[in-house]
Structure formats: structure tokens, C-alpha cells
Amino acid sequence: MSKITSKGQVTIPKEIREDFGFLPGTEIEFVRDGDDIRVRKLPGGRSRGDEIVERLRRASGGDVAMSTDEIMALTRGEN
């Protein structure tokens, strides 16, 4: 159970964030469903892989000569 703060904020439980890929910066929308409200991740958002690649590029000063696919292969341990 979560409570709404005085600023209208609510914490999404970690398990739900992980299961649905709600990362910091993920865009969501609230959808009315009768008397209920659903939280939906907007399509076209960034994936966890996109976030990892961006962090790697920032850490290197942004001057990476590798493609995203090459970086992802490295993070997965692929040769």
C-alpha cells in the first residue's frame, strides 16, 4: 500500500517498477477505467539497455567509437 504525499506523489513499489521497466525518467500516463485508475508506460520510452549505453557513453566522455549493438554485446558478455 502507498499513500499520496502532500505534493501528490506516490511511490511505485520496487517489484512493480522492475517487472514493468519503470526506470527514472520513464514517461507514464494515468488512464481512467470505470472507478479505477491504471498507470501505463507510454510507448517509445527508453529501455534499460538504452540507459546502460547512455551511462557508458557519459562515463567515457561521450567519445565512444563503438555502436550501441557492440556496447550491448559487451554488457551481455558476448564475443
Side-chain angles (χ1 to χ4, degrees), residues 20-29 40-42 45-46 51:
F20 289 90
F22 289 171
L23 302 170
T26 299
E27 291 186 346
I28 60 172
E29 69 177 343
R40 187 176 88 134
K41 184 162 82 167
L42 291 176
R46 298 166 55 92
E51 293 289 331

Side-chain angles (χ1 to χ4, degrees), residues 25 32 78:
R32 289 179 187 249
E78 299 171 2

